[in-house]
Amino acid sequence: MKPLIADVLPEKITHALLQDTASRDLVSARRQLLIRILWFERFITRNQLIERAEFELGKNCFGAKAWEDIFYRDMRFVKEAFAQASYSIKFSRDANSPGYYLENQPPLHPRMKKGIKGALEELDDQQIEIYKKLSPEQKFFQAVSIINFGRKVAAEKK
């Protein structure tokens, strides 16, 4: 049996190949995104996964009609991919923490925790006080501006 590309090529080349595949093939893009989300976060419901995918890949990226079948087919692939790396994807029906998660892993990947901690350290008490004094209209305008900026950045990524 021939070795897999990832077994013989440097990681950066393998990464470039994956990126190329995802840019040309929506199925690969969806599956890579689902894997990335579940690698870093836990207890994500089907609806949350779909919303996140549609935000990054576009509305109806799972299809307009048979989206449930497509989602479950993608999740079967994702579960198998994690299993090949000795991880197990489970689904929790617990009301306090529902959704897909990696068994025996913390609720957030350590890298995600580090990012959140860094963001919290950057909070400026003076800026928070200024924000508290803004009118509801000013807060709304600021929120819309941030959303529009995010959309522009996402559009430039494509």
Side-chain angles (χ1 to χ4, degrees):
M1 189 163 135
K2 290 184 179 180
L4 298 173
I5 287 176
D7 294 335
V8 295
L9 294 176
E11 185 179 334
K12 288 187 179 191
I13 293 174
T14 303
H15 180 74
L17 286 169
L18 282 171
Q19 290 303 106
D20 180 63
T21 302
S23 71
R24 297 170 189 270
D25 176 38
L26 184 58
V27 173
S28 296
R30 278 194 322 261
R31 291 175 178 184
Q32 285 184 42
L33 178 61
L34 292 171
I35 287 170
R36 188 177 75 221
I37 291 169
L38 291 168
W39 179 249
F40 287 107
E41 302 172 54
R42 316 289 181 255
F43 305 105
I44 308 290
T45 65
R46 178 185 74 180
N47 288 342
Q48 290 169 329
L49 285 170
I50 290 170
E51 284 179 23
R52 300 269 294 277
E54 287 184 338
F55 177 77
E56 287 203 32
L57 304 174
K59 189 89 172 124
N60 295 326
C61 64
F62 289 96
K65 297 192 187 228
W67 63 268
E68 286 179 318
D69 291 338
I70 293 168
F71 176 81
Y72 287 111
R73 211 172 309 135
D74 285 352
M75 286 306 295
R76 277 194 303 272
F77 172 85
V78 167
K79 288 176 183 180
E80 180 57 34
F82 275 108
Q84 287 180 23
S86 300
Y87 292 96
S88 180
I89 294 279
K90 300 290 185 184
F91 188 87
S92 169
R93 298 192 190 297
D94 182 328
N96 294 324
S97 51
Y100 294 94
Y101 66 98
L102 276 174
E103 188 175 41
N104 300 320
Q105 297 297 312
L108 285 175
H109 188 279
R111 192 166 131 197
M112 182 70 81
K113 278 180 144 176
K114 185 178 177 183
I116 292 170
K117 184 180 177 197
L120 289 173
E121 289 172 356
E122 290 180 13
L123 290 177
D124 180 357
D125 291 336
Q126 287 179 326
Q127 190 62 39
I128 291 170
E129 289 305 315
I130 291 169
Y131 187 77
K132 285 180 181 178
K133 294 175 185 173
L134 294 177
S135 70
E137 293 83 10
Q138 291 170 314
K139 289 177 184 176
F140 177 77
F141 178 78
Q142 204 169 46
V144 170
S145 297
I146 291 168
I147 292 167
N148 286 337
F149 177 72
R151 287 183 175 157
K152 287 178 186 176
V153 169
E156 288 182 18
K157 280 176 50 178
K158 292 181 181 179

